Amino acid sequence: VHYAVDGASGRTAPTVFGCQTYESGLFHSQQADGIAGFSRAGSGGQGGSLLRDLCAATGAPAIFSLCLSSDSGALVMGGAVPPSLRPAWVPTLGRPGDYTVQVLEFRVGGHTVGSPSDFSHSIVDSGTTFIYLPPTPYAAVRRLFQQSCPWPAGCASRSVKGHYPDDFCYTMEEADLGGFANHSIRLGGGFELPLTPRQYIYKDRPGVWCLGVFDN
């Protein structure tokens, strides 16, 4: 594997990674795919990782940042995103192998649907496309999605099946997203992560959009 170091390519950092020969479950059927592991190598009996091998070979700091937006993103290994992006720092809880954060509250349209007692621990997983909530807050989010929509005729007339068995979807266009409530997640360290409808409702197919929040 060859990495670009400080803008200059050619620095080699040998690393070992696995390949698969068979897919099953969601990895076989889901639309979203593609995973690169950045687990905390050496913790919980786990082996190496791309990040650990890079740091060992180049002396780079043991840090990486993953920045995503609606239409682009950046993965920086051995450093952080530029300060001009004004990143928020959230403390991790130190569980072996995971990037675990404290969730204090989950809110929909300003109303609390999940509290600390609902979340024993929550992980930030770059290989997960959706938000997975415990049963109680998930049921509240699903109910509000089914009952609060921007159409005078109600939500039921727009309901349609999605790609997954537990999908909740509507026939609509992207312009309709603005009629749904904003979500937010309050994390430990005093940071509140805002989620617009475009960030928790995904396009399943032309003219069909679905709730990207599921029961864990």
Side-chain angles (χ1 to χ4, degrees):
V1 177
H2 295 270
Y3 298 92
V5 181
D6 294 333
S9 61
R11 180 77 68 88
T12 299
T15 189
V16 177
F17 56 91
C19 298
Q20 66 186 59
T21 58
Y22 176 74
E23 290 184 343
S24 62
L26 282 178
F27 287 107
H28 178 71
S29 61
Q30 69 182 5
Q31 292 179 310
D33 57 14
I35 292 176
F38 289 88
S39 66
R40 294 181 173 180
S43 301
Q46 300 183 33
S49 72
L50 297 176
L51 179 63
R52 187 196 69 172
D53 294 338
L54 169 67
C55 295
T58 65
I63 183 174
F64 75 93
S65 60
L66 181 63
C67 181
L68 299 176
S69 70
S70 298
D71 55 9
S72 64
L75 171 63
V76 181
M77 300 175 65
V81 297
S84 59
L85 294 180
R86 294 179 296 176
W89 296 90
V90 177
T92 60
L93 299 182
R95 286 175 54 90
D98 294 332
Y99 296 95
T100 308
V101 296
Q102 182 183 25
V103 174
L104 301 175
E105 192 177 25
F106 194 98
R107 297 169 66 86
V108 176
H111 300 286
T112 299
V113 297
S115 60
S117 61
D118 295 311
F119 306 98
S120 58
H121 68 276
S122 300
I123 65 171
V124 179
D125 183 0
S126 62
T128 300
T129 311
F130 303 118
I131 298 173
Y132 290 86
L133 296 177
T136 298
Y138 165 72
V141 171
R142 181 190 63 196
R143 183 176 62 254
L144 289 170
F145 184 73
Q146 291 176 297
Q147 296 177 353
S148 303
C149 57
W151 309 296
C155 308
S157 62
R158 298 279 194 126
S159 182
V160 65
K161 289 185 177 181
H163 183 78
Y164 305 111
D166 50 351
D167 264 334
F168 291 91
C169 309
Y170 294 126
T171 56
M172 64 180 189
E173 300 301 327
E174 186 170 2
D176 294 322
L177 293 174
F180 290 86
N182 289 329
H183 291 188
S184 65
I185 306 174
R186 189 162 64 91
L187 302 170
F191 176 66
E192 184 164 335
L193 176 66
L195 297 172
T196 65
R198 186 64 180 85
Q199 293 170 313
Y200 70 83
I201 300 175
Y202 73 97
K203 185 178 182 179
D204 180 71
R205 56 188 185 274
V208 176
W209 295 72
C210 306
L211 179 66
V213 182
F214 293 88
D215 190 340
N216 69 357

